[in-house]
Amino acid sequence: MKIPSPRISRHDPSALLLKRIRELMASEEGVQERLDHFVKLIASSMRVNVASIYLRSGNGLELCATKGLKQSAVHKTKLALGEGLVGRVAARARLLNLANAPRHPNFAYKPETGEEKFQSFLGVPLLRGGRNLGVLVVQSKKSRRFTEIEVENLLTVAMILAEIAVEDERASGGTKRLKGIRLTPTKPETISGKPFAGGLAKGQAYLHSPPVLAKQMIAQNPKVEEERMGDAIGTLRKSVDAMVSGETATLDRASKDIFESYRLFAYDRTWVERLREAVHSGLTAEAAVERVRNEHRARMLKARDPYLRARLHDLEDLANRLLRILAGENLDKTHRALPEQAIVFARNLGPAEILDYDPSRLKGIVLEEGAATAHATIICRTLGIPLIGQSVGMLDRIESGDEVLLDGEMGEAYIRPTQTQSADFNLRVGLRAALSKAFESQRSLPAKTKDGQKISLLLNAGLLADLPALDTVGADGIGLFRTEFQFMIARSMPRLGEQVELYKKAMTASGTRPVTFRTLDLGGDKILPYADPVPEDNPAIGWRAIRIGLDRPSLLRYQLRALLIAGSGVHLRFMFPMVASVSEFLQAKTLLAKEMKRAKKLGITPPEKMEVGVMLETPALAWQVDAMCKHVDFVSVGANDLMQFFFAADRDNPRVASRYDRLHPAGLSLLAHIAKRCKLHKTPITICGEMAGHPMEAICLTALGYRNLSMPVTGIGPVKSAILALDCEKLAKTLKPLLVSTTDSDSLREQVMVFCQKNGIPI
Ligand code: PEP
Ligand code: MG
């Protein structure tokens, strides 16, 4: 695996230019004077006729300094984003290198600048963190394309310039800033996204990829920086080696490729060479990492191929690790340092990256990407912290240290909030505290409906961190233990002993309450950090879960072995995910039989009681319930997947995921059908997935015949409140006529809401 990067020859160091920039930085000039000096310096050292700086102003760009264009155009020439060549660079955050600029279709003639006589054009965006502050342009009369070395140099200068401009503005508290230009956001803003994990949090913004400060950018002593970079790469490699040195022998082919992918990057010559070249050009080790990372980021955003995007994300992660090593952090021991009450802002985060942070300080997360059922989301729910995602462009509007109010219920974050926003928010925090007190008072009450139906409220879990919640919310057990989480957050494939230990801990924490393990549900969006993902066009309906388990039987057998050891002499319950046909379940049972035989041979005491179930997550299986019930001890409906397949709406695709309502009569009818068939066969049935954790949905499920509801931890309190106030029979009667196939309604939410209001059910 090669990092896609252009080959660039070892270039003449731009050390002299950087040295002069450092001198410029040390001077006590105003921002305008500094920019004027900057452009002169660039024009002379790059031997070009024009060097200009355009900065973002309002919704457009403004010429703020130039050497070579008419001075009278400074602060007069303005461009809309996307207008002209400069506007195009800004809008796309991509450089433009042209030999004949006036011929480009985007060339916009601005007579006040005298620009038309210059043929060659090189414009680079002024990127800082996720933000694009403007454009740095050089132009020449002679028609030629700028060399890769010149492009390199200008990118480096742009990076430093962006940082200096922002630091100048901040240091002067805004007094020295350029008139009408604001590089750092100061106004209150509301950032909107999708509410992926609920809860309210107050804190200060922390950028997951903090920018390297300008004063840290130019090397005092390049030799020292080369050594620092060499040492840091060495340490990085060691830590990556440690990550991948797990047990591989018993896991055969699947694991062989898996372990190598991350390591390949750390040892990739192109990447390392690019870092060394950047240091060689006069940058500090930190700035070199930032510089190379910026390049990859630009490429990552362009990449359409999800496989490549995932790889480049790994590279960003490695760059972050390198920066942390350079800052003297010990990656293997400490949690990543965070300010108190931190709200982390990032483009995207994997589960391992979240768990790297000190959980006592991490109060919430905001992502530009992310998905409702992505593992990062599930981890946040587990940690009980709010997460909003799909907040496109928000990194443009946030600075580390900004005050933030994060509303994981509505999917909004208030940045630099107004007094009114703060007061409203505090009120809601107070109300929530009162509500959770009310839930607490119900904790030891059984969840029984008013007409006497006992409902089991179970927890969806997967990590050690989830287990204490069993008691704090008073759950009746674990209805879904997602065993793949352990695999997803591990730095290498968990060994047998580690799997056994986790399963035992879950059962011990649960005591006499049942725990239902689900065998590995990998694939789809659940990708192992140490695995080489297999690119697929439709991963949700691709090679995942039981399909991998049956095609790679040793992987599934290894897990069954761990379950049998953990369940030795006790009550063991587990189920297979994503089964679409009865025969798949039977094949999995054959593998189980082999493992049981092996365990017996080794003298391992069998479980005192063993129940093996199936997850009903595919519409096909809903039409095989009668056949399935003959073979299973229980059925668990995975409503997340079942509904995405039923409505053909990818649960990870924000464009379509919320097109159907969870109370759609067709969906409810399907669920009613499944419950009815299971009841007929006296097969116990549970429903898990996000649906069961919402009070309105939960009472409908109860009315359809479900008596075991498994849900995220935050659902238990509100669902119990609703169940305690429910007359199940009455709701069943209300729903019955609404579930007929002749209905053309696309949601029963309205009717259920009215029912709740009339019957005093809190929702
Ligand atoms: C489901 O599909 O409803 C389910 C519980 O499994 P997961 O969300 O882990 O796919
Ligand atoms: Mg599922």
Side-chain angles (χ1 to χ4, degrees):
M1 189 182 329
K2 237 343 316 59
I3 294 170
S5 172
R7 279 290 318 131
I8 289 177
S9 60
R10 210 167 172 74
H11 57 269
D12 191 20
S14 55
L16 188 64
L17 172 61
L18 293 184
K19 190 164 162 264
R20 289 173 64 190
I21 292 177
R22 197 173 60 226
E23 285 159 12
L24 185 66
M25 280 161 59
S27 70
E28 284 286 314
E29 290 179 307
V31 186
Q32 183 66 57
E33 291 79 4
R34 226 204 265 282
L35 295 188
D36 292 342
H37 264 126
F38 222 101
V39 285
K40 277 189 203 144
L41 209 62
I42 295 167
S44 70
S45 70
M46 288 185 72
R47 297 203 180 91
V48 287
N49 304 107
V50 177
S52 314
I53 295 169
Y54 294 80
L55 293 176
R56 291 283 288 267
S57 159
N59 289 329
L61 291 152
E62 181 173 316
L63 176 65
C64 288
T66 183
K67 163 81 182 97
L69 297 183
K70 289 185 187 155
Q71 284 304 318
S72 52
V74 173
H75 296 301
K76 297 251 159 44
T77 293
K78 299 196 179 176
L79 293 157
L81 272 191
E83 183 191 356
L85 301 177
V86 173
R88 187 181 169 101
V89 173
R92 298 179 159 204
R94 245 195 273 167
L95 69 86
L96 200 57
N97 184 0
L98 301 170
N100 205 325
R103 283 226 201 116
H104 191 280
N106 240 65
F107 184 80
Y109 180 50
K110 294 275 170 187
E112 71 274 16
T113 62
E115 188 177 26
E116 67 284 2
K117 36 182 201 284
F118 302 108
Q119 297 297 313
S120 44
F121 173 102
L122 171 60
V124 298
L126 293 171
L127 295 173
R128 179 177 176 273
R131 225 173 39 241
N132 190 358
L133 306 179
V135 180
L136 174 59
V137 179
V138 292
Q139 290 168 284
S140 271
K141 282 188 186 152
K142 212 173 119 199
S143 170
R144 67 177 182 96
R145 263 178 78 85
F146 287 90
T147 65
E148 283 192 45
I149 295 167
E150 286 170 314
V151 172
E152 281 285 291
N153 285 343
L154 201 66
L155 283 168
T156 300
V157 170
M159 176 180 80
I160 299 172
L161 173 60
E163 200 53 45
I164 293 177
V166 167
E167 282 178 26
D168 263 353
E169 185 177 276
R170 288 177 130 196
S172 63
T175 53
K176 278 204 280 178
R177 70 191 169 87
L178 296 171
K179 205 162 146 258
I181 305 250
R182 256 276 168 231
L183 297 175
T184 48
T186 51
K187 281 197 248 128
E189 286 204 55
T190 302
I191 285 176
S192 298
K194 299 256 173 200
F196 289 153
L200 304 175
K202 287 196 273 190
Q204 52 174 315
Y206 181 83
L207 297 181
H208 177 66
S209 307
V212 177
L213 300 179
K215 61 179 179 310
Q216 295 177 316
M217 284 186 166
I218 304 173
Q220 300 265 13
N221 183 342
K223 269 247 142 346
V224 171
E225 295 305 318
E226 274 173 34
E227 264 169 41
R228 289 182 67 225
M229 180 60 93
D231 290 349
I233 290 171
T235 310
L236 177 75
R237 285 177 174 171
K238 258 194 230 143
S239 88
V240 173
D241 286 346
M243 274 166 60
V244 296
S245 62
E247 177 181 311
T248 62
T250 35
L251 297 179
D252 81 7
R253 242 186 73 195
S255 60
K256 278 256 159 49
D257 315 329
I258 287 175
F259 292 135
E260 283 308 319
S261 85
Y262 218 60
R263 181 169 20 209
L264 277 180
F265 282 127
Y267 283 86
D268 183 281
R269 282 231 219 109
T270 324
W271 187 57
V272 170
E273 211 169 287
R274 302 281 300 121
L275 291 169
R276 293 220 164 102
E277 274 172 0
V279 169
H280 200 69
S281 73
L283 292 178
T284 58
E286 285 87 350
V289 176
E290 182 70 5
R291 173 77 185 72
V292 174
R293 181 168 64 173
N294 277 345
E295 268 172 41
H296 284 125
R297 200 177 269 156
R299 224 161 284 138
M300 176 173 94
L301 297 176
K302 258 196 292 177
R304 280 173 184 271
D305 177 356
Y307 173 74
L308 201 58
R309 278 179 78 107
R311 299 298 82 200
L312 289 166
H313 177 80
D314 290 350
L315 261 180
E316 279 237 341
D317 189 32
L318 277 188
N320 273 336
R321 284 168 189 276
L322 209 48
L323 282 177
R324 291 166 59 197
I325 293 170
L326 287 165
E329 268 186 60
N330 180 343
L331 299 193
D332 298 327
K333 296 223 174 64
T334 51
H335 273 301
R336 203 173 155 183
L338 267 186
E340 269 173 43
Q341 310 286 329
I343 314 269
V344 171
F345 288 73
R347 196 173 303 284
N348 208 354
L349 288 177
E353 287 166 307
I354 296 177
L355 293 168
D356 250 3
Y357 280 116
D358 179 349
S360 66
R361 290 173 171 238
L362 179 62
K363 299 297 169 206
I365 295 181
V366 182
L367 299 178
E368 288 215 334
E369 298 181 4
T373 46
H375 18 292
T377 306
I378 288 164
I379 298 279
C380 285
R381 290 198 190 128
T382 294
L383 296 174
I385 59 169
L387 163 72
I388 70 174
Q390 305 282 345
S391 181
V392 180
M394 63 80 186
L395 287 172
D396 272 4
R397 295 148 70 191
I398 188 97
E399 278 288 325
S400 262
D402 278 342
E403 189 190 342
V404 182
L405 306 176
L406 179 57
D407 183 344
E409 309 298 323
M410 308 300 290
E412 296 202 315
Y414 306 101
I415 315 298
R416 304 172 290 272
T418 61
Q419 273 185 351
T420 322
Q421 283 171 331
S422 293
D424 282 356
F425 197 83
N426 287 338
L427 203 70
R428 291 185 51 209
V429 170
L431 280 174
R432 261 182 89 90
L435 206 61
S436 63
K437 261 227 164 88
F439 294 149
E440 221 175 284
S441 66
Q442 300 168 355
R443 192 174 46 192
S444 48
L445 291 181
K448 211 180 208 179
T449 62
K450 274 175 35 189
D451 52 338
Q453 297 294 337
K454 165 83 183 74
I455 312 298
S456 211
L457 301 184
L458 305 152
L459 212 59
N460 288 349
L463 293 170
L464 269 184
D466 299 334
L467 302 177
L470 268 169
D471 293 324
T472 44
V473 297
D476 296 312
I478 297 176
L480 167 66
F481 193 96
R482 293 178 161 108
T483 59
E484 63 277 3
F485 282 8
Q486 185 190 22
F487 286 66
M488 278 156 46
I489 63 165
R491 301 202 189 276
S492 58
M493 188 75 87
R495 297 152 198 250
L496 187 72
E498 288 165 334
Q499 293 184 43
V500 172
E501 195 186 320
L502 177 66
Y503 305 156
K504 272 191 174 161
K505 280 191 175 144
M507 288 190 276
T508 309
S510 210
T512 52
R513 295 168 289 191
V515 180
T516 307
F517 295 100
R518 171 183 64 192
T519 61
L520 288 177
D521 183 6
L522 293 168
D525 77 321
K526 293 169 185 162
I527 298 160
L528 300 180
Y530 40 88
D532 211 357
V534 184
E536 292 185 301
D537 284 343
N538 295 302
I541 50 171
W543 198 54
R544 54 174 288 205
I546 191 75
R547 300 167 184 186
I548 299 181
L550 296 178
D551 290 351
R552 296 275 182 273
S554 56
L555 187 67
L556 181 55
R557 280 187 64 173
Y558 196 61
Q559 186 182 25
L560 293 172
R561 192 173 303 168
L563 284 166
L564 287 171
I565 299 172
S568 169
V570 296
H571 181 181
L572 177 66
R573 266 174 77 89
F574 60 90
M575 56 192 179
F576 297 108
M578 273 291 286
V579 171
S581 152
V582 178
S583 69
E584 287 170 340
F585 180 81
L586 297 179
Q587 286 172 56
K589 286 251 332 215
T590 309
L591 295 179
L592 174 65
K594 286 185 182 163
E595 277 307 313
M596 287 171 67
K597 204 166 150 195
R598 182 183 177 277
K600 194 172 172 190
K601 238 195 213 155
L602 292 174
I604 298 166
T605 315
E608 175 204 66
K609 176 177 177 193
M610 186 165 78
E611 290 171 289
V612 186
V614 72
M615 279 195 82
L616 199 160
E617 306 185 271
T618 58
L621 202 64
W623 264 258
Q624 299 168 73
V625 178
D626 299 326
M628 197 73 242
C629 283
K630 285 190 225 137
H631 304 286
V632 298
D633 296 314
F634 64 92
V635 167
S636 183
V637 178
N640 297 340
D641 275 319
L642 183 62
M643 290 302 148
Q644 82 160 335
F645 300 135
F646 187 61
F647 287 104
D650 183 350
R651 64 195 251 193
D652 284 330
N653 180 345
R655 287 211 184 126
V656 299
S658 44
R659 281 189 75 84
Y660 66 88
D661 192 76
R662 289 186 296 254
L663 296 183
H664 193 296
L668 292 177
S669 301
L670 175 71
L671 295 171
H673 158 80
I674 297 166
K676 216 161 145 189
R677 300 314 300 172
C678 283
K679 192 172 176 196
L680 204 76
H681 296 287
K682 296 195 174 58
T683 303
I685 181 169
T686 301
I687 184 158
C688 54
E690 308 310 298
M691 182 176 184
H694 297 271
M696 261 208 267
E697 282 79 341
I699 57 168
C700 289
L701 291 167
T702 308
L704 298 184
Y706 289 85
R707 295 292 173 264
N708 304 300
L709 310 178
S710 194
M711 63 195 78
V713 58
T714 44
I716 302 256
V719 167
K720 190 184 274 187
S721 281
I723 297 278
L724 290 171
L726 173 70
D727 182 332
C728 184
E729 195 51 41
K730 199 167 171 188
L731 179 58
K733 279 203 185 117
T734 307
L735 288 181
K736 200 168 175 198
L738 303 172
L739 292 179
V740 290
S741 59
T742 46
T743 178
D744 50 13
S745 148
D746 59 7
S747 173
L748 301 185
R749 198 161 289 278
E750 194 67 37
Q751 292 93 323
V752 178
M753 181 99 80
V754 171
F755 179 89
C756 290
Q757 279 159 357
K758 272 199 192 151
N759 294 279
I761 298 171
I763 42 168

